[in-house]
Amino acid sequence: MSRAETGPLTRFGGPLVVAGAAIVVGYLFSVGLDGYFVYLGMSAIVAGIALLGLGVVTGSAGMVSLCQLTFAAVGAWVVSYLNRAGAPGGFLVYLVCGGIAAGLVGVLVGLPALRLRGINLAVVTLGLAAAADLTLVQIQFPGTVDGVSVERPEAFSDDRGYFWLGTMVLTACCLLVHFLRRTRWGSGWQAVAFSERGTAAAGASVRTSKLSAFAVSAALGGVAGGLLTGQVGLAFPASFTAMQSLALYVLAIMSGAHLIDMAVFGAVLWVAVPELLKRWGIPQDWGFVVFGLLGTHALTTGGNLGTAVRELWRRRSKEAAGINLGAPPSDVEIPEPGEPVLVVRDLSVSFGEVKALSHVDITVPSNGVLGVIGPNGAGKSTLVDILSGFLPQATGSVELDGLALNGMSPTRRARAGLRRTFQQDRVPAGLTVGAYVRFVARRRLSTAEIADALEFFGCPAPKTPLRRVDVGARRLVEVVGHLLAKPKVLLLDEPAAGLPHEEHVALGLRLRQVPARFGVSVLLIEHDLDLVRSVCDTITVLDFGQVLASGPQAEVLANPEVLKAYMGETELL
Amino acid sequence: MLQGALAGLAAGGLYAVLAVCLTLMSRLVRVVNFAQSATGMFGCYVAVWLSVDVGLPTWAATVVGIVLGCGLSALLGWIISTWLAEADIGTRSAVTVAVLLLLISLSFILFGNKPQPFHPILDGPAFEVNGVVVSQVTVVTVVLSVVVALGCRALLSGTSFGLQLRALSERPTTAELMGIPAKPLAVGVWAATGLLSTLVISIVAPSQSNDATSLSMLVVPAAAAALLGGFRRLDLAVVGGLVLGMAQGALAQVDSLSVVRYFLPFLVVVGLLLWSQRKEVWDVAR
């Protein structure tokens, strides 16, 4: 559920009520529990904040981070340093500074992450964790050698008070993550985890998405480290070993820490498992063995405790949601195509010896639909890749409404008003239909506007999670999102693929109305000639990377050259 | 400096052998094995326990430890090729992160978290260069890394067995359809690298900082070395390992730079990756 899909009361009210209740429960725990449990609870809170951070970077944005406690050590270091230096502001200010400092370090570590993916990033972060581990032992934290312990705020100076303070900090962090996940940043994290190309095509910066995920996660790590320092008084390297970072990562995977409640649940496991083992007379070190085994299990089976528990809790229906292109859309007046809005001249690109495209000229009129057809390997998808900026080595000129796009990144082209969709699924499964459409549209949308557009294309309701939407429907949701962005031109790469054949013409009827309803010109790549015929005013035929024919539909489809190349002469047009 | 660099060469040989193992794993079974050195560490610790507490002769204990390292690695390989046969390299490797954690904590439980009293298998100097002593350990690890790399290369490029292995790595499904026994071969690769890493760690560990965490984290400099060869080239992996070991050894001589030494593998990893990935702008081909 995102902005305006529900009223502001549930949007802000619900989470705030939960937060208030959490703080009350925290207070009751702090006065009611045995002193030892209060201390354990504090450790769980620290772990919970660190896990929330991992939930953002690993759970949402899909990047492996094995150095969460290195960020915590940065927070602890800053808090210890400011405390020993007697800086003004007191503990809470130090805590915030620690979080900010860790966030900045997170950006530094995240910078290589812009280029590094998956397993390479894991190597880098493990390397950092190992190096920081050794360094901390050598340099120690400020104040540990001379024994200057960190002072807690006066109102929360005893363990019970400090636990309550911890509850409030944890609640604030949960709220922060909750609301961030509903912003463009949050959608960007989900998008970038699934597809960087899809993210850029939606006009979102891949760089911002990745760096913000790293920064937020590291800042949360820093706050956790700062809180821990206040808990124990003096920070020691033993609390921030690479080993514990690994354990937290495994725990985040195992508990499904991208869900806020599951991060808290994971934190409870973090203290409960060793504690239970201790009570049963088993050495606490077995705790990590248990995490290691459960983590291996979670990874090999692809599930995690979080989703398993949620499924039990909610018993959500697991049926896939599809499209429903039943009744034909009401008629609208189809405007005459106007002046050219997208002008492409002399486009060429080669991959080694292969000339994928040579000297291609294309013009898309305003308020018009241009069809691009051609046999497999003719260069149609390459054309879309070049126009949308994914093949910067191509030569030739691309002009959108008088603006030269050459040299611009895909993100900038998308923002300038040239959008595209993909043949393959590029829709992140972690969002709802509505949240995804808002993310792609990049502008303020009313609930009614979204609902209308989705309904026009027979898509599932805005609240449906995308993981329950079938592939054909996902691709139409993608189209809707890009249309609502109101670009000047939308490049559609085989939008009907994945739909049952009888839906093709129904989709065609709707695409035909796109310029009139949305004010968007369309370049449509499609194999299904019935669909092309029902939608396009003008057609360009590509063959072996060259324009074979171009012009009004009837003329082009009657061209004997086209018949020969495209249809193999036998099939009737 | 020279003395430091030569002293670092023993570690360099260790990095080189581990880097060769990592490269083989990445090429042949699509895994970056974070538990590569942890498996070796565990085998060695068991060997030390057998020799110190059970009273087995050092050589016998070492052999048992190496066989155990080999078996552990094979078991992990079997698990991954059974349940994650079709998974991408990221997921397959993430499992080894969990195993790394598992092995370190198991060793804490079984053997405590103090460094172990290793009996050196090789002891004493081999020869002197300009008054700088080069130990037997150094000579053996460096020679071992070169021999292993050359041997693997000959095996992979010159024999039909090597051809099967390469087919398996590049087109696993096609290879299996052609009747190449995918799973036994994959488990075999895991076993071989497990054996190699345990062997080399048992040789070097007595002369290194040999607590469980340090030995397990050897995977970081090894990965840095393997990256020089892009996780594909064995010769560059060996060169990377040796150079990194010598550089660390040289830096250790200068007190003011000793913290830099810890960060060297990390900086090498970042630098090499940024350079090698400079053209990889997008996550998928199209």
Side-chain angles (χ1 to χ4, degrees), chain B:
Chain B
M1 283 299 241
L2 177 69
Q3 195 173 359
L6 283 176
L9 202 50
L14 174 62
Y15 300 163
V17 176
L18 291 176
V20 167
C21 292
L22 285 178
T23 308
L24 287 175
M25 296 285 267
S26 153
R27 267 184 72 172
L28 300 177
V29 292
R30 292 186 298 126
V31 161
V32 173
N33 184 5
F34 286 93
Q36 188 81 63
S37 51
T39 321
M41 174 278 294
F42 199 79
C44 293
Y45 267 36
V46 171
V48 171
W49 175 77
L50 286 175
S51 125
V52 173
D53 292 343
V54 181
L56 233 57
T58 307
W59 67 267
T62 309
V63 169
V64 174
I66 292 174
V67 171
L68 182 77
C70 173
L72 267 181
S73 191
L75 175 69
L76 178 55
W78 183 80
I79 290 174
I80 288 186
S81 36
T82 305
W83 280 299
L84 292 172
E86 300 294 321
D88 60 52
I89 184 167
T91 315
R92 289 161 69 98
S93 308
V95 175
T96 68
V97 173
V99 174
L100 167 62
L101 176 72
L102 194 70
L103 286 175
I104 300 181
S105 26
L106 259 187
S107 88
F108 283 173
I109 293 164
L110 298 176
F111 312 111
N113 49 12
K114 295 273 183 299
Q116 293 292 297
F118 275 87
H119 278 298
I121 302 170
L122 297 167
D123 206 2
F127 56 86
E128 276 190 32
V129 191
N130 290 343
V132 180
V133 177
V134 176
S135 67
Q136 289 180 14
V137 172
T138 306
V139 175
V140 170
T141 50
V142 172
V143 170
L144 188 66
S145 64
V146 174
V147 168
V148 168
L150 288 176
C152 290
R153 201 181 141 206
L155 180 78
L156 286 178
S157 58
T159 64
S160 63
F161 177 66
L163 186 70
Q164 289 196 352
L165 281 175
R166 281 187 295 149
L168 185 68
S169 67
E170 276 156 32
R171 294 274 183 274
T173 318
T174 319
E176 224 174 342
L177 288 174
M178 287 168 65
I180 295 176
K183 202 155 132 187
L185 274 182
V187 174
V189 172
W190 280 85
T193 61
L195 185 141
L196 269 176
S197 21
T198 320
L199 171 69
V200 72
I201 290 177
S202 6
I203 295 173
V204 184
S207 60
Q208 293 277 311
S209 54
N210 57 22
D211 62 283
T213 314
S214 307
L215 287 177
S216 303
M217 289 301 165
L218 284 172
V219 73
V220 174
L227 268 172
L228 183 67
F231 278 107
R232 294 203 65 77
R233 284 187 56 179
L234 294 167
D235 51 350
L236 288 180
V238 171
V239 172
L242 297 179
V243 170
L244 188 58
M246 288 170 78
Q248 275 187 319
L251 282 175
Q253 298 281 300
V254 190
D255 274 343
S256 56
L257 292 180
S258 60
V259 170
V260 178
R261 176 174 54 126
Y262 303 140
F263 282 90
L264 195 63
F266 168 70
L267 295 173
V268 169
V269 169
V270 172
L272 283 175
L273 279 174
L274 288 182
W275 185 75
S276 66
Q277 309 278 307
R278 66 196 181 285
K279 287 183 181 154
E280 306 280 318
V281 182
W282 300 105
D283 52 347
V284 280
R286 175 171 265 176

Side-chain angles (χ1 to χ4, degrees), chain A residues 122-139:
Chain A
V123 175
V124 170
T125 49
L126 183 65
L128 177 68
D133 204 345
L134 294 168
T135 309
L136 282 175
V137 173
Q138 190 163 337
I139 64 170

Side-chain angles (χ1 to χ4, degrees), chain A residues 168-184:
Chain A
M168 289 191 258
V169 176
L170 174 63
T171 310
C173 292
C174 289
L175 277 180
L176 176 82
V177 171
H178 175 83
F179 286 118
L180 274 178
R181 279 165 55 99
R182 270 142 189 79
T183 61
R184 294 200 54 76

Side-chain angles (χ1 to χ4, degrees), chain A residues 213-554:
Chain A
F214 244 102
V216 169
S217 140
L220 288 169
V223 170
L227 264 188
L228 177 68
T229 317
Q231 183 192 5
V232 292
L234 291 172
F236 292 103
S239 316
F240 307 101
T241 58
M243 167 93 171
Q244 281 163 307
S245 286
L246 286 177
L248 271 180
Y249 167 77
V250 171
L251 187 62
I253 295 281
M254 180 189 115
S255 62
H258 58 292
L259 307 168
I260 290 170
D261 45 348
M262 287 306 141
V264 176
F265 172 65
V268 172
L269 287 183
W270 178 255
V271 290
V273 170
E275 182 59 25
L276 284 177
L277 290 174
K278 194 172 91 181
R279 297 199 169 212
W280 296 331
I282 303 167
Q284 289 188 47
D285 277 329
W286 282 99
F288 281 1
V289 178
V290 172
F291 292 154
L293 285 174
L294 288 176
T296 313
H297 176 258
L299 283 161
T300 42
T301 54
N304 57 50
L305 278 176
T307 29
V309 170
R310 282 213 161 180
E311 293 293 324
L312 281 179
W313 190 260
R314 296 196 171 172
R315 298 191 178 278
R316 272 194 178 156
S317 82
K318 286 182 184 169
E319 277 170 45
I323 55 147
N324 177 20
L325 289 171
S330 55
D331 279 342
V332 290
E333 197 181 326
I334 306 289
E336 279 296 303
E339 294 296 300
V341 59
L342 179 71
V343 181
V344 177
R345 291 283 166 258
D346 200 22
L347 212 58
S348 301
V349 70
S350 342
F351 303 117
E353 293 296 301
V354 181
K355 283 198 168 174
L357 282 185
S358 56
H359 311 294
V360 170
D361 293 339
I362 276 181
T363 310
V364 179
S366 61
N367 287 324
V369 183
L370 171 73
V372 174
I373 61 172
N376 279 333
K380 304 186 297 293
S381 287
T382 306
L383 175 72
V384 177
D385 277 353
I386 298 175
L387 297 182
S388 52
F390 287 98
L391 281 175
Q393 68 266 39
T395 57
S397 75
V398 181
E399 255 185 36
L400 181 71
D401 209 10
L403 173 73
L405 297 183
N406 293 51
M408 278 194 191
S409 70
T411 303
R412 286 187 58 205
R413 289 183 196 217
R415 291 183 187 176
L418 182 70
R419 290 295 189 106
R420 70 165 291 180
T421 64
F422 291 89
Q423 246 185 63
Q424 304 84 354
D425 181 19
R426 290 278 188 271
V427 179
L431 296 172
T432 60
V433 170
Y436 173 73
V437 167
R438 283 176 199 281
F439 171 66
V440 173
R442 284 187 69 79
R443 63 186 187 90
R444 280 199 171 277
L445 291 171
S446 69
T447 313
E449 207 174 343
I450 295 181
D452 281 352
L454 287 171
E455 204 189 324
F456 180 65
F457 279 98
C459 293
K463 284 182 187 174
T464 321
L466 278 163
R467 77 169 61 77
R468 279 189 41 223
V469 175
D470 69 31
V471 178
R474 277 187 201 186
R475 305 199 50 233
L476 287 193
V477 171
E478 189 185 1
V479 171
V480 169
H482 285 288
L483 283 175
L484 286 175
K486 298 247 180 254
K488 296 185 176 100
V489 177
L490 176 59
L491 314 172
L492 291 174
D493 198 351
E494 295 194 23
L499 293 183
H501 187 76
E502 55 269 28
E503 306 277 27
H504 282 204
V505 174
L507 172 65
L509 288 175
R510 286 159 176 83
L511 289 179
R512 175 90 187 133
Q513 297 186 0
V514 159
R517 281 182 184 266
F518 297 91
V520 176
S521 300
V522 174
L523 186 154
L524 172 71
I525 289 181
E526 195 40 77
H527 268 303
D528 183 341
L529 273 183
D530 289 335
L531 176 60
V532 172
R533 230 192 251 118
S534 65
V535 181
C536 303
D537 317 305
T538 47
I539 292 181
T540 295
V541 185
L542 284 181
D543 191 26
F544 291 112
Q546 291 181 322
V547 175
L548 191 65
S550 190
Q553 190 197 109

